Amino acid sequence: MAKLSPSILSADFANLERDIHDIEKNGGDWVHVDVMDGIFVPNITIGIPVVKALRPVTSLPLDVHLMIDRPIRYVEDFVKAGADWLTIHIEADQPQNTLEALDKIHALGCKAGIVLKPKTPAEAAIPYLEKCDIILVMTVEPGFGGQKFMADMMPKVKQLREWMDDINPDCLIEVDGGVDANTCSLCKENGAGVLVAGSAYFKAEDRTEFVKIIQA
Ligand code: DX5
Ligand code: ZN
């Protein structure tokens, strides 16, 4: 059993409302929103006004993945815009600021979590574990959709799940990048509870069936 958070990075940006209603219709659980600033990652996508505009069009939780430098500067704006889950990269700032940002997100009543890039080891997450409702493990280099799934990230997923089972069993482990109808099984076997899929969801011939395969 896993939740699917389709990434609107692969949606039609001229028709986001239509594509989000389609996620609802097909049984998707969350909506994954990829925010990129052109500095932390070599791409620029969408920001606070778009999250705010999407908030009233769906009752699905908005799962906002910040790929931005020094996210502490903007977490309040994203929570106020309507994020339900807000994740920040631990590579994007000093540890003290990351810890403070997680506290800030919680104080605003939002679920908070960290993200690890592929080259960041599981151990780097240790200082933050107690403050996490979710931990996102990247299985591609952040920045673009449609890349190949990195199966060698699975030991990291497993390790984080084991640690969180001791510290906070309710914490979710999320996997993002290259997840499709085949790679989803490995993610689930290793303890991921939320799977992000961008291109595989939007390109699926039968999206309802795709959602069922991920959730199974
Ligand atoms: C990549 C983003 C992902 C992206 C995944 O930086 O964080 O959420 O949308 O796309 P796919 O599923 O196509 O790898
Ligand atoms: Zn993402």
Side-chain angles (χ1 to χ4, degrees):
M1 272 291 284
K3 288 188 194 310
L4 174 63
S5 189
S7 166
I8 56 166
L9 187 59
S10 294
D12 176 354
F13 276 14
N15 287 289
L16 283 177
E17 181 174 17
R18 180 201 68 193
D19 283 0
I20 288 175
H21 286 159
D22 186 69
I23 293 172
E24 289 178 349
K25 191 187 89 205
N26 291 314
D29 297 287
W30 296 359
V31 176
H32 186 83
V33 183
D34 286 304
V35 176
M36 305 187 190
D37 67 352
I39 295 173
F40 183 71
V41 287
N43 196 4
I44 300 179
T45 52
I46 55 184
I48 298 149
V50 177
V51 173
K52 197 171 174 194
L54 295 179
R55 181 64 288 172
V57 316
T58 182
S59 56
L60 292 180
L62 296 179
D63 166 29
V64 179
H65 173 192
L66 296 186
M67 284 161 274
I68 66 173
D69 186 50
R70 289 172 291 143
I72 190 167
R73 298 175 296 152
Y74 292 107
V75 290
E76 183 169 357
D77 291 330
F78 279 99
V79 174
K80 289 192 173 153
D84 297 282
W85 296 81
L86 191 56
T87 52
I88 57 175
H89 274 265
I90 60 175
E91 308 88 356
D93 205 342
Q94 301 301 318
Q96 195 50 42
N97 289 339
T98 302
L99 290 166
E100 242 175 73
L102 293 169
D103 286 341
K104 213 167 171 180
I105 299 167
H106 279 140
L108 292 159
C110 180
K111 300 283 192 190
I114 56 167
V115 192
L116 281 73
K117 294 211 279 187
K119 289 192 185 77
T120 304
E123 289 71 22
I126 290 173
Y128 314 101
L129 296 181
E130 278 167 16
K131 291 189 191 287
C132 287
D133 303 300
I134 189 161
I135 299 174
L136 173 49
V137 176
M138 293 304 301
T139 40
V140 297
E141 283 299 335
F144 300 91
Q147 303 179 75
K148 192 177 178 294
F149 179 78
M150 299 165 82
D152 54 342
M153 293 299 118
M154 292 302 104
K156 194 195 292 189
V157 171
K158 193 164 185 248
Q159 176 68 82
L160 289 165
R161 180 67 270 163
E162 281 171 16
W163 285 339
M164 293 320 294
D165 282 344
D166 286 340
I167 297 169
N168 172 15
D170 289 337
C171 176
L172 295 165
I173 308 291
E174 183 175 27
V175 168
D176 183 6
V179 174
D180 62 23
N182 297 312
T183 58
C184 69
S185 317
L186 264 183
C187 301
K188 289 185 271 187
E189 278 162 31
N190 284 282
V194 184
L195 307 190
V196 176
S199 46
Y201 167 79
F202 281 99
K203 281 188 191 151
E205 245 169 67
D206 183 338
R207 290 180 183 165
T208 308
E209 192 50 38
F210 179 83
V211 173
K212 282 191 190 137
I213 292 169
I214 300 287
Q215 290 171 339

